[in-house]
Amino acid sequence: MAAPKQRNTVILLRHAEKHEWNAGLAPSKLQIASYEDNKLLSVKGRERAHALVAYFDTRNEIIELLDVHPLSAIVCQDVDTEGMEAWGKSERPRETMKPFAKHKNIDLTLYTKKQAAELTTRILTSDEWVGKTVIVCWAHQEIPELTKRLGVPESVIPVKW
Protein backbone atom coordinates (compact mmCIF):
# COMPACT_ATOMS: atom_id res chain seq x y z
CA MET A 1 0.00 0.00 0.00
CA ALA A 2 1.28 3.47 -0.90
CA ALA A 3 2.04 5.94 1.86
CA PRO A 4 -0.56 8.68 2.28
CA LYS A 5 0.21 11.87 0.41
CA GLN A 6 1.86 14.46 2.64
CA ARG A 7 -0.25 17.59 2.91
CA ASN A 8 0.96 21.04 2.03
CA THR A 9 0.72 24.17 4.15
CA VAL A 10 -1.25 27.17 2.92
CA ILE A 11 -0.81 30.65 4.34
CA LEU A 12 -3.75 32.88 3.36
CA LEU A 13 -3.22 36.63 3.35
CA ARG A 14 -5.57 39.48 2.72
CA HIS A 15 -4.01 42.11 0.50
CA ALA A 16 -2.53 45.16 2.23
CA GLU A 17 -4.42 48.43 2.73
CA LYS A 18 -6.20 50.30 0.01
CA HIS A 19 -6.97 54.01 -0.05
CA GLU A 20 -8.75 55.06 3.14
CA TRP A 21 -11.47 57.55 3.83
CA ASN A 22 -10.37 61.07 4.76
CA ALA A 23 -9.22 61.57 8.36
CA GLY A 24 -10.10 57.97 9.22
CA LEU A 25 -13.73 58.91 9.83
CA ALA A 26 -16.66 56.72 8.91
CA PRO A 27 -17.75 57.77 5.41
CA SER A 28 -21.08 59.41 4.71
CA LYS A 29 -23.51 57.92 2.19
CA LEU A 30 -22.44 60.61 -0.27
CA GLN A 31 -18.75 59.73 0.19
CA ILE A 32 -19.51 56.06 -0.33
CA ALA A 33 -21.47 56.84 -3.49
CA SER A 34 -18.67 59.01 -4.89
CA TYR A 35 -15.74 56.81 -3.82
CA GLU A 36 -13.54 55.79 -6.73
CA ASP A 37 -11.34 52.81 -6.05
CA ASN A 38 -8.06 53.02 -7.96
CA LYS A 39 -7.44 49.27 -7.31
CA LEU A 40 -3.94 49.98 -5.96
CA LEU A 41 -2.36 49.89 -2.52
CA SER A 42 -2.27 53.03 -0.43
CA VAL A 43 1.03 54.37 0.92
CA LYS A 44 0.38 52.41 4.13
CA GLY A 45 -0.37 49.32 2.04
CA ARG A 46 2.94 49.62 0.19
CA GLU A 47 4.74 50.01 3.52
CA ARG A 48 3.03 46.87 4.84
CA ALA A 49 3.94 44.96 1.66
CA HIS A 50 7.61 45.76 2.24
CA ALA A 51 7.29 44.94 5.94
CA LEU A 52 6.17 41.40 5.02
CA VAL A 53 9.72 40.68 3.88
CA ALA A 54 11.08 41.17 7.39
CA TYR A 55 8.03 39.50 8.93
CA PHE A 56 8.49 36.27 6.99
CA ASP A 57 12.28 36.33 7.45
CA THR A 58 12.35 36.96 11.21
CA ARG A 59 9.28 35.35 12.82
CA ASN A 60 10.37 32.13 14.53
CA GLU A 61 7.15 30.28 13.75
CA ILE A 62 7.48 31.15 10.05
CA ILE A 63 11.17 30.21 9.97
CA GLU A 64 10.41 26.87 11.66
CA LEU A 65 7.50 26.19 9.30
CA LEU A 66 9.58 26.93 6.19
CA ASP A 67 12.41 24.74 7.49
CA VAL A 68 10.02 21.78 7.55
CA HIS A 69 7.76 22.79 4.62
CA PRO A 70 9.83 24.97 2.25
CA LEU A 71 8.19 27.81 0.39
CA SER A 72 7.14 26.51 -3.00
CA ALA A 73 4.86 29.18 -4.41
CA ILE A 74 3.42 32.63 -3.88
CA VAL A 75 -0.02 32.78 -5.44
CA CYS A 76 -1.85 36.06 -5.97
CA GLN A 77 -5.20 37.08 -7.26
CA ASP A 78 -4.61 38.57 -10.69
CA VAL A 79 -6.51 41.30 -12.51
CA ASP A 80 -9.28 39.79 -14.60
CA THR A 81 -9.29 41.42 -18.01
CA GLU A 82 -11.41 38.94 -19.94
CA GLY A 83 -14.94 39.60 -21.16
CA MET A 84 -17.28 42.53 -21.09
CA GLU A 85 -18.15 42.01 -17.45
CA ALA A 86 -14.68 41.35 -16.14
CA TRP A 87 -14.48 41.48 -12.37
CA GLY A 88 -11.58 41.32 -9.99
CA LYS A 89 -9.74 44.44 -11.14
CA SER A 90 -7.68 44.93 -7.98
CA GLU A 91 -3.91 44.93 -8.29
CA ARG A 92 -3.51 44.96 -4.50
CA PRO A 93 -2.83 41.21 -3.98
CA ARG A 94 0.03 41.28 -6.49
CA GLU A 95 1.37 44.55 -5.08
CA THR A 96 1.24 43.09 -1.57
CA MET A 97 3.42 40.09 -2.42
CA LYS A 98 5.80 41.59 -5.01
CA PRO A 99 8.47 42.71 -2.51
CA PHE A 100 8.57 39.32 -0.77
CA ALA A 101 8.58 37.41 -4.06
CA LYS A 102 11.45 39.56 -5.31
CA HIS A 103 13.34 39.00 -2.05
CA LYS A 104 12.88 35.22 -2.35
CA ASN A 105 13.49 35.25 -6.12
CA ILE A 106 10.18 33.47 -6.72
CA ASP A 107 7.82 34.37 -9.57
CA LEU A 108 4.25 35.12 -8.57
CA THR A 109 1.74 32.48 -9.62
CA LEU A 110 -1.37 34.33 -10.78
CA TYR A 111 -5.03 33.31 -10.78
CA THR A 112 -8.09 35.48 -11.31
CA LYS A 113 -11.11 35.39 -9.01
CA LYS A 114 -12.88 33.37 -11.69
CA GLN A 115 -10.12 30.76 -11.43
CA ALA A 116 -10.38 30.28 -7.66
CA ALA A 117 -11.78 26.75 -8.02
CA GLU A 118 -8.87 25.79 -10.29
CA LEU A 119 -6.44 27.23 -7.75
CA THR A 120 -7.87 25.29 -4.82
CA THR A 121 -7.93 22.09 -6.88
CA ARG A 122 -4.26 22.61 -7.73
CA ILE A 123 -3.37 23.25 -4.09
CA LEU A 124 -5.25 20.17 -2.90
CA THR A 125 -4.25 17.70 -5.62
CA SER A 126 -1.03 18.74 -7.32
CA ASP A 127 2.13 16.84 -6.46
CA GLU A 128 4.28 19.93 -7.10
CA TRP A 129 3.34 21.49 -3.74
CA VAL A 130 3.12 18.38 -1.56
CA GLY A 131 4.96 18.84 1.72
CA LYS A 132 5.65 22.48 0.91
CA THR A 133 4.23 25.89 1.79
CA VAL A 134 2.10 27.97 -0.54
CA ILE A 135 1.33 31.60 0.29
CA VAL A 136 -1.94 32.84 -1.19
CA CYS A 137 -2.77 36.56 -1.25
CA TRP A 138 -6.33 37.35 -2.25
CA ALA A 139 -9.09 39.96 -2.03
CA HIS A 140 -10.71 39.90 1.40
CA GLN A 141 -14.25 39.39 0.09
CA GLU A 142 -13.26 36.07 -1.49
CA ILE A 143 -11.05 34.59 1.24
CA PRO A 144 -13.85 32.89 3.24
CA GLU A 145 -15.02 31.00 0.13
CA LEU A 146 -11.45 30.14 -0.85
CA THR A 147 -10.87 28.84 2.69
CA LYS A 148 -13.98 26.63 2.50
CA ARG A 149 -12.80 25.21 -0.82
CA LEU A 150 -9.53 24.27 0.86
CA GLY A 151 -11.49 22.14 3.34
CA VAL A 152 -11.38 24.36 6.41
CA PRO A 153 -14.51 23.92 8.55
CA GLU A 154 -16.82 26.88 8.19
CA SER A 155 -17.11 27.19 11.96
CA VAL A 156 -13.47 28.33 12.26
CA ILE A 157 -13.34 30.69 9.28
CA PRO A 158 -13.36 34.38 10.29
CA VAL A 159 -16.22 36.35 8.80
CA LYS A 160 -14.13 39.48 8.32
CA TRP A 161 -10.60 39.47 6.87
Side-chain angles (χ1 to χ4, degrees), residues 90-139:
S90 177
E91 296 184 32
R92 290 185 282 269
R94 287 187 324 208
E95 289 184 319
T96 299
M97 295 312 300
K98 263 186 188 174
F100 184 65
K102 183 177 180 181
H103 172 70
K104 289 295 187 183
N105 198 29
I106 295 176
D107 291 332
L108 296 176
T109 302
L110 303 174
Y111 281 84
T112 65
K113 283 184 179 183
K114 291 178 185 175
Q115 296 171 317
E118 293 170 40
L119 168 61
T120 54
T121 297
R122 184 177 179 189
I123 289 172
L124 293 171
T125 64
S126 174
D127 288 337
E128 70 187 307
W129 294 338
V130 170
K132 298 186 179 160
T133 298
V134 178
I135 297 174
V136 178
C137 185
W138 215 255

Side-chain angles (χ1 to χ4, degrees), residues 7-13 75 111 115-126 129 132-138 142-154 156-158 161:
R7 298 181 62 103
N8 51 18
T9 300
V10 179
I11 299 174
L12 287 172
L13 296 175
V75 179
Y111 281 84
Q115 296 171 317
E118 293 170 40
L119 168 61
T120 54
T121 297
R122 184 177 179 189
I123 289 172
L124 293 171
T125 64
S126 174
W129 294 338
K132 298 186 179 160
T133 298
V134 178
I135 297 174
V136 178
C137 185
W138 215 255
E142 303 295 318
I143 292 177
E145 186 59 34
L146 197 66
T147 306
K148 282 188 245 178
R149 287 182 176 150
L150 289 170
V152 176
E154 197 168 343
V156 299
I157 299 172
W161 286 75

